[in-house]
């Protein structure tokens, strides 16, 4: 393989161009012709379509529209997938980093060729608005390209101290079978990223995607196989949480890469700690979990910058990004002004179908999410003051009006729990130190934001905040692979950051070799 060019992020589409917009609309009509997608269980080269039990994924904006019908993996499928992944491990792990990178880069090329189609599928299956769906596909391509390079690098090992008469070597080798269990909110990027990380490091993967987005997951597996990942190295097990739980229990699984909610993540960590008969590894769980992300706004903040950034961080994709802004902690000197401006900007948000290019806030993913968000919105009303609600909300689909609440009672669940929907709380703080105390008091530590002009304030907050990703004077979502390695601390996760230089270390074990070369000399 000739040397790869340095990693660069996949450029996003220029959606302001009419030609690009019409290409997207054409891509959506073309995708619509193919619906519903049949998503099979894919175990090695075997493909089993739904013969009885099936999971339907529907358009959140039009719940009667069936987007994909997925077979449901049985216990027998889980066994077969694990057997395939175990049998295929040696061959895949013995390939060089370059060979594995070639397959991942081939998968990236497959996605690049079908970018518009993949974007349109996300618009339908997960109601991701066009810019967000496009960014998600770009991120998936980025993960493939970035981890391909990181895998080559890791394969070389690390330099360590050498002394006369001794040769020392530090290598990293794949751990074995990885179970990837993914969420729906970045339906291609996150499942693809975890899978690509494990594969790049030489592991085989069994992917259990979210039940809400099996169609997107099918495309990931097709991309990887088209790129040259052998079928035994990547299997697809669609299903609900019980399929994920069955994978976690299997003794052959050495690593579990999970992204999702905190309760499920903690349950996986607990289950993975139980030794099963025949188990030869201590299972490693990479868990990227939820957050309750706060933005501190100091008295000297530039509100022209802060207001749009807060509103988009809170409401883009209906607040369903793990990085979304959930709480604003604003200096009391400018609180009234900020509340008025955020409220005004929220009232005029365009709530609509993800497929409409003008939509700013799409529906939430499913009925249970709509119910959950409505419960928190009602609590906000009874425990605080609702200062804004976007009232123009379509009737069909799982829409929730973007809502801003202020002056909530301390201890309100609206302040303490992850809502994962378009509800933003604004609180008054005495000063930045007070804001930092509130942030430090939370068990979550995923993303956070600060709007302030004084560099000393920026330094102070950087030292005080425990969050995994702190954004200063900008929105708090939209981490880019290679530029903003992403992941939370505390109860928000155990990871070493997706899209960062340490991510692949999750999927390897280090091996050191020391050879006495004194008597026989160094054989090269
Ligand atoms: N930190 C991050 O990088 C990040 C990124 C995206 C989403 N998230 C979080 O993900 C959540 C939203 O995603 P979701 O609704 O898909 O999460 P979820 O926890 O409900 O589901 C995630 C996956 O786990 C599976 N699952 C459910 N129960 C299981 C069990 N007992 N054992 C094994 N697997 C099981 C599901 O089927 C799905 O595939 C939010 O909390 C969000 O903050 C975090």
């Amino acid at each position: 393989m000739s040397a790869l060019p340095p990693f660069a992020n996949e450029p996003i589409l220029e959606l302001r161009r009419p030609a690009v917009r019409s290409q997207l609309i054409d891509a959506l009509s073309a995708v619509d012709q193919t619906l519903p997608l049949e998503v099979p269980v894919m175990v090695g080269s075997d493909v089993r379509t739904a013969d009885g039990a099936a999971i339907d994924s529907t358009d959140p904006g039009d719940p009667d529209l069936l987007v994909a019908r997925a077979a449901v993996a049985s216990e027998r499928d889980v066994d077969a997938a694990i057997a395939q992944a175990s049998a295929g491990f040696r061959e895949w792990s013995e390939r060089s980093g370059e060979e594995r990178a070639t397959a991942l880069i081939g998968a990236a090329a497959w996605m690049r060729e079908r970018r518009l189609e993949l974007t349109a599928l996300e618009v339908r299956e997960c109601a991701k608005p066009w810019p967000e769906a496009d960014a998600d596909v770009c991120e998936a391509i980025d993960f493939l390209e970035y981890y391909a390079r990181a895998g080559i690098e890791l394969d070389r090992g690390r330099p360590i101290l050498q002394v006369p008469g001794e040769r020392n070597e530090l290598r990293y080798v794949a751990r074995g079978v990885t179970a990837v269990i993914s969420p729906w909110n970045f339906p291609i990027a996150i499942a693809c990223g975890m899978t690509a990380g494990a594969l790049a490091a030489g592991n085989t993967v069994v992917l259990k995607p979210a039940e809400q987005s099996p169609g997107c997951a099918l495309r990931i597996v097709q991309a990887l196989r088209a790129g040259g990942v052998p079928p035994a190295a990547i299997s697809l097990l669609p299903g609900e949480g019980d399929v994920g739980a069955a994978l976690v229990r299997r003794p052959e699984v050495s690593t579990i890469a999970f992204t999702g909610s905190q309760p499920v993540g903690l349950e996986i960590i607990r289950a993975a700690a139980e030794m099963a008969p025949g188990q030869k590894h201590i299972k490693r769980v990479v868990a990227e979990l939820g957050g309750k992300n706060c933005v501190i706004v100091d008295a000297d903040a530039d509100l022209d910058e802060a207001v749009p950034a807060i509103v988009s961080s809170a409401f883009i994709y209906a607040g369903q990004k793990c990085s979304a802004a959930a709480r604003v902690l604003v200096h009391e000197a400018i609180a009234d002004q900020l509340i008025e401006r955020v409220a005004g900007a929220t009232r005029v948000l365009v709530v609509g179908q993800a497929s409409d290019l003008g939509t700013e806030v799409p529906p939430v993913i499913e009925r249970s999410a709509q119910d959950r968000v409505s419960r928190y919105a009602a609590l906000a009303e009874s425990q605080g003051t609702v200062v804004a609600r976007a009232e123009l909300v379509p009737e069909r689909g799982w829409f929730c009006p973007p809502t801003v609440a202020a002056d909530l009672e301390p201890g309100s669940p609206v302040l303490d729990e992850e809502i994962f929907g378009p509800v933003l709380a604004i609180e008054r703080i005495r000063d930045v130190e007070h804001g930092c105390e509130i942030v430090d008091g939370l068990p979550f530590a995923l993303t956070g934001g600060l709007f302030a002009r004084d560099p000393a304030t920026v330094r102070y907050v950087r030292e005080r905040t425990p969050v995994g990703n702190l954004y200063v004077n900008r929105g708090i979502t939209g981490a880019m692979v290679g530029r903003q390695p992403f992941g939370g601390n505390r109860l928000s996760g155990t990871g070493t950051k997706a899209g960062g230089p340490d991510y692949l270390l999750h999927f390897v074990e280090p091996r050191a070799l020391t050879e006495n070369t004194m008597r026989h000399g160094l054989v090269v």
Side-chain angles (χ1 to χ4, degrees), residues 70-106:
V72 178
S74 62
E75 285 278 340
R76 201 190 293 173
D77 293 322
V78 173
D79 287 339
I82 296 287
Q84 277 287 333
S86 304
F89 174 65
R90 189 153 178 197
E91 193 272 321
W92 179 247
S93 63
E94 284 181 354
R95 289 195 195 186
S96 68
E98 272 93 359
E99 285 170 306
R100 292 194 295 262
T102 302
L104 297 186
I105 286 170

mmCIF file of all heavy atoms in Angstrom, residues 70-106:
data_model
loop_
_atom_site.group_PDB
_atom_site.id
_atom_site.type_symbol
_atom_site.label_atom_id
_atom_site.label_comp_id
_atom_site.label_asym_id
_atom_site.label_seq_id
_atom_site.Cartn_x
_atom_site.Cartn_y
_atom_site.Cartn_z
ATOM 1 N N ALA A 70 -36.740 -5.299 9.921
ATOM 2 C CA ALA A 70 -35.520 -6.041 10.263
ATOM 3 C C ALA A 70 -35.857 -7.385 10.885
ATOM 4 O O ALA A 70 -36.778 -7.484 11.705
ATOM 5 C CB ALA A 70 -34.681 -5.226 11.247
ATOM 6 N N ALA A 71 -35.108 -8.403 10.471
ATOM 7 C CA ALA A 71 -35.197 -9.691 11.151
ATOM 8 C C ALA A 71 -34.715 -9.496 12.589
ATOM 9 O O ALA A 71 -33.917 -8.600 12.865
ATOM 10 C CB ALA A 71 -34.314 -10.704 10.438
ATOM 11 N N VAL A 72 -35.201 -10.327 13.472
ATOM 12 C CA VAL A 72 -34.770 -10.218 14.871
ATOM 13 C C VAL A 72 -33.818 -11.378 15.171
ATOM 14 O O VAL A 72 -34.186 -12.545 14.995
ATOM 15 C CB VAL A 72 -35.982 -10.281 15.827
ATOM 16 C CG1 VAL A 72 -35.523 -10.213 17.273
ATOM 17 C CG2 VAL A 72 -36.940 -9.150 15.520
ATOM 18 N N ALA A 73 -32.625 -11.039 15.602
ATOM 19 C CA ALA A 73 -31.634 -12.092 15.872
ATOM 20 C C ALA A 73 -32.087 -12.947 17.049
ATOM 21 O O ALA A 73 -32.547 -12.429 18.069
ATOM 22 C CB ALA A 73 -30.277 -11.458 16.170
ATOM 23 N N SER A 74 -31.966 -14.260 16.883
ATOM 24 C CA SER A 74 -32.321 -15.194 17.953
ATOM 25 C C SER A 74 -31.052 -15.560 18.740
ATOM 26 O O SER A 74 -29.936 -15.210 18.332
ATOM 27 C CB SER A 74 -32.899 -16.467 17.323
ATOM 28 O OG SER A 74 -31.889 -17.052 16.514
ATOM 29 N N GLU A 75 -31.256 -16.309 19.821
ATOM 30 C CA GLU A 75 -30.093 -16.797 20.590
ATOM 31 C C GLU A 75 -29.184 -17.615 19.680
ATOM 32 O O GLU A 75 -27.962 -17.559 19.778
ATOM 33 C CB GLU A 75 -30.556 -17.661 21.768
ATOM 34 C CG GLU A 75 -31.136 -16.872 22.930
ATOM 35 C CD GLU A 75 -30.074 -16.300 23.864
ATOM 36 O OE1 GLU A 75 -28.932 -16.777 23.870
ATOM 37 O OE2 GLU A 75 -30.417 -15.342 24.597
ATOM 38 N N ARG A 76 -29.819 -18.372 18.779
ATOM 39 C CA ARG A 76 -29.019 -19.197 17.870
ATOM 40 C C ARG A 76 -28.180 -18.319 16.931
ATOM 41 O O ARG A 76 -27.025 -18.606 16.632
ATOM 42 C CB ARG A 76 -29.947 -20.107 17.051
ATOM 43 C CG ARG A 76 -29.193 -21.309 16.496
ATOM 44 C CD ARG A 76 -30.005 -22.089 15.511
ATOM 45 N NE ARG A 76 -31.155 -22.752 16.128
ATOM 46 C CZ ARG A 76 -32.078 -23.385 15.424
ATOM 47 N NH1 ARG A 76 -32.013 -23.414 14.106
ATOM 48 N NH2 ARG A 76 -33.075 -23.986 16.026
ATOM 49 N N ASP A 77 -28.768 -17.211 16.479
ATOM 50 C CA ASP A 77 -28.009 -16.273 15.638
ATOM 51 C C ASP A 77 -26.836 -15.678 16.424
ATOM 52 O O ASP A 77 -25.744 -15.475 15.880
ATOM 53 C CB ASP A 77 -28.905 -15.122 15.152
ATOM 54 C CG ASP A 77 -29.981 -15.586 14.187
ATOM 55 O OD1 ASP A 77 -29.696 -16.476 13.360
ATOM 56 O OD2 ASP A 77 -31.105 -15.048 14.258
ATOM 57 N N VAL A 78 -27.092 -15.383 17.697
ATOM 58 C CA VAL A 78 -26.015 -14.825 18.521
ATOM 59 C C VAL A 78 -24.881 -15.843 18.606
ATOM 60 O O VAL A 78 -23.701 -15.513 18.393
ATOM 61 C CB VAL A 78 -26.529 -14.440 19.936
ATOM 62 C CG1 VAL A 78 -25.377 -14.017 20.842
ATOM 63 C CG2 VAL A 78 -27.571 -13.328 19.844
ATOM 64 N N ASP A 79 -25.239 -17.106 18.870
ATOM 65 C CA ASP A 79 -24.206 -18.153 18.942
ATOM 66 C C ASP A 79 -23.435 -18.249 17.628
ATOM 67 O O ASP A 79 -22.211 -18.333 17.616
ATOM 68 C CB ASP A 79 -24.855 -19.529 19.206
ATOM 69 C CG ASP A 79 -25.355 -19.638 20.635
ATOM 70 O OD1 ASP A 79 -24.871 -18.864 21.492
ATOM 71 O OD2 ASP A 79 -26.246 -20.478 20.886
ATOM 72 N N ALA A 80 -24.200 -18.230 16.516
ATOM 73 C CA ALA A 80 -23.555 -18.388 15.207
ATOM 74 C C ALA A 80 -22.639 -17.199 14.905
ATOM 75 O O ALA A 80 -21.530 -17.368 14.377
ATOM 76 C CB ALA A 80 -24.622 -18.528 14.119
ATOM 77 N N ALA A 81 -23.096 -16.007 15.262
ATOM 78 C CA ALA A 81 -22.269 -14.815 14.991
ATOM 79 C C ALA A 81 -20.986 -14.849 15.810
ATOM 80 O O ALA A 81 -19.902 -14.511 15.321
ATOM 81 C CB ALA A 81 -23.071 -13.545 15.306
ATOM 82 N N ILE A 82 -21.115 -15.291 17.065
ATOM 83 C CA ILE A 82 -19.918 -15.382 17.918
ATOM 84 C C ILE A 82 -18.968 -16.451 17.356
ATOM 85 O O ILE A 82 -17.745 -16.254 17.325
ATOM 86 C CB ILE A 82 -20.325 -15.744 19.369
ATOM 87 C CG1 ILE A 82 -21.171 -14.635 19.983
ATOM 88 C CG2 ILE A 82 -19.114 -16.066 20.227
ATOM 89 C CD1 ILE A 82 -20.434 -13.392 20.339
ATOM 90 N N ALA A 83 -19.536 -17.564 16.903
ATOM 91 C CA ALA A 83 -18.694 -18.636 16.342
ATOM 92 C C ALA A 83 -17.953 -18.123 15.100
ATOM 93 O O ALA A 83 -16.753 -18.361 14.934
ATOM 94 C CB ALA A 83 -19.554 -19.856 15.997
ATOM 95 N N GLN A 84 -18.667 -17.385 14.244
ATOM 96 C CA GLN A 84 -18.028 -16.826 13.041
ATOM 97 C C GLN A 84 -16.917 -15.851 13.432
ATOM 98 O O GLN A 84 -15.830 -15.879 12.870
ATOM 99 C CB GLN A 84 -19.072 -16.042 12.225
ATOM 100 C CG GLN A 84 -19.921 -16.883 11.330
ATOM 101 C CD GLN A 84 -19.146 -17.373 10.112
ATOM 102 O OE1 GLN A 84 -18.204 -16.747 9.669
ATOM 103 N NE2 GLN A 84 -19.543 -18.532 9.609
ATOM 104 N N ALA A 85 -17.248 -14.968 14.362
ATOM 105 C CA ALA A 85 -16.278 -13.937 14.749
ATOM 106 C C ALA A 85 -15.042 -14.571 15.392
ATOM 107 O O ALA A 85 -13.915 -14.118 15.171
ATOM 108 C CB ALA A 85 -16.928 -12.936 15.705
ATOM 109 N N SER A 86 -15.268 -15.647 16.158
ATOM 110 C CA SER A 86 -14.128 -16.326 16.789
ATOM 111 C C SER A 86 -13.285 -17.026 15.721
ATOM 112 O O SER A 86 -12.051 -16.948 15.733
ATOM 113 C CB SER A 86 -14.607 -17.371 17.808
ATOM 114 O OG SER A 86 -15.427 -16.755 18.760
ATOM 115 N N ALA A 87 -13.971 -17.687 14.774
ATOM 116 C CA ALA A 87 -13.245 -18.426 13.735
ATOM 117 C C ALA A 87 -12.498 -17.469 12.810
ATOM 118 O O ALA A 87 -11.408 -17.778 12.326
ATOM 119 C CB ALA A 87 -14.233 -19.278 12.926
ATOM 120 N N GLY A 88 -13.075 -16.307 12.569
ATOM 121 C CA GLY A 88 -12.445 -15.373 11.636
ATOM 122 C C GLY A 88 -11.383 -14.494 12.273
ATOM 123 O O GLY A 88 -10.693 -13.748 11.578
ATOM 124 N N PHE A 89 -11.266 -14.578 13.597
ATOM 125 C CA PHE A 89 -10.377 -13.648 14.303
ATOM 126 C C PHE A 89 -8.915 -13.780 13.866
ATOM 127 O O PHE A 89 -8.228 -12.798 13.598
ATOM 128 C CB PHE A 89 -10.503 -13.847 15.815
ATOM 129 C CG PHE A 89 -9.511 -13.034 16.596
ATOM 130 C CD1 PHE A 89 -9.562 -11.641 16.577
ATOM 131 C CD2 PHE A 89 -8.497 -13.645 17.325
ATOM 132 C CE1 PHE A 89 -8.628 -10.887 17.274
ATOM 133 C CE2 PHE A 89 -7.561 -12.893 18.016
ATOM 134 C CZ PHE A 89 -7.635 -11.515 17.992
ATOM 135 N N ARG A 90 -8.456 -15.026 13.770
ATOM 136 C CA ARG A 90 -7.029 -15.207 13.498
ATOM 137 C C ARG A 90 -6.641 -14.582 12.158
ATOM 138 O O ARG A 90 -5.671 -13.836 12.062
ATOM 139 C CB ARG A 90 -6.711 -16.707 13.514
ATOM 140 C CG ARG A 90 -5.268 -16.941 13.455
ATOM 141 C CD ARG A 90 -4.860 -18.226 14.098
ATOM 142 N NE ARG A 90 -3.426 -18.341 13.909
ATOM 143 C CZ ARG A 90 -2.764 -19.448 14.040
ATOM 144 N NH1 ARG A 90 -3.403 -20.537 14.406
ATOM 145 N NH2 ARG A 90 -1.482 -19.478 13.836
ATOM 146 N N GLU A 91 -7.452 -14.892 11.160
ATOM 147 C CA GLU A 91 -7.108 -14.406 9.814
ATOM 148 C C GLU A 91 -7.109 -12.868 9.776
ATOM 149 O O GLU A 91 -6.182 -12.252 9.277
ATOM 150 C CB GLU A 91 -8.126 -14.978 8.809
ATOM 151 C CG GLU A 91 -7.704 -14.821 7.351
ATOM 152 C CD GLU A 91 -8.146 -13.504 6.732
ATOM 153 O OE1 GLU A 91 -9.266 -13.040 7.021
ATOM 154 O OE2 GLU A 91 -7.368 -12.926 5.965
ATOM 155 N N TRP A 92 -8.127 -12.263 10.351
ATOM 156 C CA TRP A 92 -8.235 -10.792 10.310
ATOM 157 C C TRP A 92 -7.151 -10.142 11.171
ATOM 158 O O TRP A 92 -6.519 -9.165 10.766
ATOM 159 C CB TRP A 92 -9.630 -10.372 10.760
ATOM 160 C CG TRP A 92 -9.855 -8.888 10.788
ATOM 161 C CD1 TRP A 92 -10.053 -8.112 11.880
ATOM 162 C CD2 TRP A 92 -9.915 -7.996 9.657
ATOM 163 N NE1 TRP A 92 -10.233 -6.801 11.510
ATOM 164 C CE2 TRP A 92 -10.142 -6.697 10.148
ATOM 165 C CE3 TRP A 92 -9.771 -8.168 8.277
ATOM 166 C CZ2 TRP A 92 -10.257 -5.582 9.318
ATOM 167 C CZ3 TRP A 92 -9.881 -7.045 7.449
ATOM 168 C CH2 TRP A 92 -10.116 -5.787 7.973
ATOM 169 N N SER A 93 -6.910 -10.703 12.336
ATOM 170 C CA SER A 93 -5.941 -10.058 13.230
ATOM 171 C C SER A 93 -4.510 -10.232 12.720
ATOM 172 O O SER A 93 -3.640 -9.429 13.040
ATOM 173 C CB SER A 93 -6.069 -10.613 14.652
ATOM 174 O OG SER A 93 -5.765 -11.984 14.655
ATOM 175 N N GLU A 94 -4.290 -11.282 11.921
ATOM 176 C CA GLU A 94 -2.927 -11.485 11.411
ATOM 177 C C GLU A 94 -2.638 -10.637 10.168
ATOM 178 O O GLU A 94 -1.503 -10.573 9.718
ATOM 179 C CB GLU A 94 -2.678 -12.971 11.121
ATOM 180 C CG GLU A 94 -2.462 -13.747 12.422
ATOM 181 C CD GLU A 94 -2.196 -15.220 12.212
ATOM 182 O OE1 GLU A 94 -2.284 -15.686 11.067
ATOM 183 O OE2 GLU A 94 -1.900 -15.901 13.219
ATOM 184 N N ARG A 95 -3.677 -10.028 9.620
ATOM 185 C CA ARG A 95 -3.401 -9.087 8.522
ATOM 186 C C ARG A 95 -2.629 -7.895 9.084
ATOM 187 O O ARG A 95 -2.779 -7.537 10.245
ATOM 188 C CB ARG A 95 -4.703 -8.577 7.908
ATOM 189 C CG ARG A 95 -5.433 -9.624 7.111
ATOM 190 C CD ARG A 95 -6.489 -8.962 6.251
ATOM 191 N NE ARG A 95 -7.430 -9.947 5.750
ATOM 192 C CZ ARG A 95 -8.391 -9.677 4.884
ATOM 193 N NH1 ARG A 95 -8.555 -8.436 4.439
ATOM 194 N NH2 ARG A 95 -9.205 -10.612 4.468
ATOM 195 N N SER A 96 -1.861 -7.268 8.214
ATOM 196 C CA SER A 96 -1.104 -6.099 8.691
ATOM 197 C C SER A 96 -2.054 -4.913 8.868
ATOM 198 O O SER A 96 -3.174 -4.901 8.327
ATOM 199 C CB SER A 96 -0.027 -5.738 7.669
ATOM 200 O OG SER A 96 -0.651 -5.257 6.491
ATOM 201 N N GLY A 97 -1.588 -3.924 9.601
ATOM 202 C CA GLY A 97 -2.374 -2.698 9.768
ATOM 203 C C GLY A 97 -2.722 -2.104 8.413
ATOM 204 O O GLY A 97 -3.832 -1.593 8.201
ATOM 205 N N GLU A 98 -1.770 -2.154 7.484
ATOM 206 C CA GLU A 98 -2.012 -1.596 6.132
ATOM 207 C C GLU A 98 -3.137 -2.349 5.433
ATOM 208 O O GLU A 98 -3.999 -1.736 4.809
ATOM 209 C CB GLU A 98 -0.753 -1.699 5.259
ATOM 210 C CG GLU A 98 0.192 -0.543 5.377
ATOM 211 C CD GLU A 98 1.240 -0.816 6.422
ATOM 212 O OE1 GLU A 98 1.182 -1.899 7.050
ATOM 213 O OE2 GLU A 98 2.094 0.057 6.654
ATOM 214 N N GLU A 99 -3.128 -3.677 5.552
ATOM 215 C CA GLU A 99 -4.167 -4.452 4.851
ATOM 216 C C GLU A 99 -5.556 -4.139 5.432
ATOM 217 O O GLU A 99 -6.537 -4.001 4.701
ATOM 218 C CB GLU A 99 -3.886 -5.954 4.967
ATOM 219 C CG GLU A 99 -2.741 -6.413 4.077
ATOM 220 C CD GLU A 99 -2.329 -7.839 4.396
ATOM 221 O OE1 GLU A 99 -2.033 -8.133 5.578
ATOM 222 O OE2 GLU A 99 -2.298 -8.655 3.472
ATOM 223 N N ARG A 100 -5.610 -4.040 6.731
ATOM 224 C CA ARG A 100 -6.912 -3.720 7.341
ATOM 225 C C ARG A 100 -7.338 -2.301 6.949
ATOM 226 O O ARG A 100 -8.496 -2.035 6.677
ATOM 227 C CB ARG A 100 -6.840 -3.878 8.857
ATOM 228 C CG ARG A 100 -6.664 -5.330 9.282
ATOM 229 C CD ARG A 100 -6.922 -5.512 10.757
ATOM 230 N NE ARG A 100 -5.973 -4.834 11.596
ATOM 231 C CZ ARG A 100 -4.909 -5.401 12.167
ATOM 232 N NH1 ARG A 100 -4.689 -6.696 12.000
ATOM 233 N NH2 ARG A 100 -4.082 -4.710 12.921
ATOM 234 N N ALA A 101 -6.363 -1.405 6.906
ATOM 235 C CA ALA A 101 -6.676 -0.015 6.526
ATOM 236 C C ALA A 101 -7.236 0.030 5.104
ATOM 237 O O ALA A 101 -8.162 0.808 4.820
ATOM 238 C CB ALA A 101 -5.420 0.849 6.627
ATOM 239 N N THR A 102 -6.702 -0.808 4.227
ATOM 240 C CA THR A 102 -7.187 -0.806 2.839
ATOM 241 C C THR A 102 -8.683 -1.124 2.815
ATOM 242 O O THR A 102 -9.459 -0.506 2.073
ATOM 243 C CB THR A 102 -6.401 -1.848 2.004
ATOM 244 O OG1 THR A 102 -5.031 -1.505 2.084
ATOM 245 C CG2 THR A 102 -6.840 -1.856 0.552
ATOM 246 N N ALA A 103 -9.093 -2.091 3.638
ATOM 247 C CA ALA A 103 -10.518 -2.462 3.661
ATOM 248 C C ALA A 103 -11.369 -1.310 4.224
ATOM 249 O O ALA A 103 -12.446 -1.008 3.699
ATOM 250 C CB ALA A 103 -10.708 -3.728 4.496
ATOM 251 N N LEU A 104 -10.881 -0.663 5.265
ATOM 252 C CA LEU A 104 -11.672 0.433 5.858
ATOM 253 C C LEU A 104 -11.761 1.619 4.893
ATOM 254 O O LEU A 104 -12.817 2.259 4.775
ATOM 255 C CB LEU A 104 -11.056 0.880 7.188
ATOM 256 C CG LEU A 104 -11.025 -0.178 8.299
ATOM 257 C CD1 LEU A 104 -10.535 0.433 9.597
ATOM 258 C CD2 LEU A 104 -12.395 -0.812 8.522
ATOM 259 N N ILE A 105 -10.675 1.871 4.209
ATOM 260 C CA ILE A 105 -10.696 2.984 3.254
ATOM 261 C C ILE A 105 -11.580 2.628 2.058
ATOM 262 O O ILE A 105 -12.259 3.490 1.493
ATOM 263 C CB ILE A 105 -9.250 3.363 2.874
ATOM 264 C CG1 ILE A 105 -8.654 4.095 4.081
ATOM 265 C CG2 ILE A 105 -9.181 4.225 1.624
ATOM 266 C CD1 ILE A 105 -7.197 4.347 4.042
ATOM 267 N N GLY A 106 -11.627 1.354 1.728
ATOM 268 C CA GLY A 106 -12.563 0.902 0.690
ATOM 269 C C GLY A 106 -14.010 1.136 1.131
ATOM 270 O O GLY A 106 -14.865 1.551 0.348
#
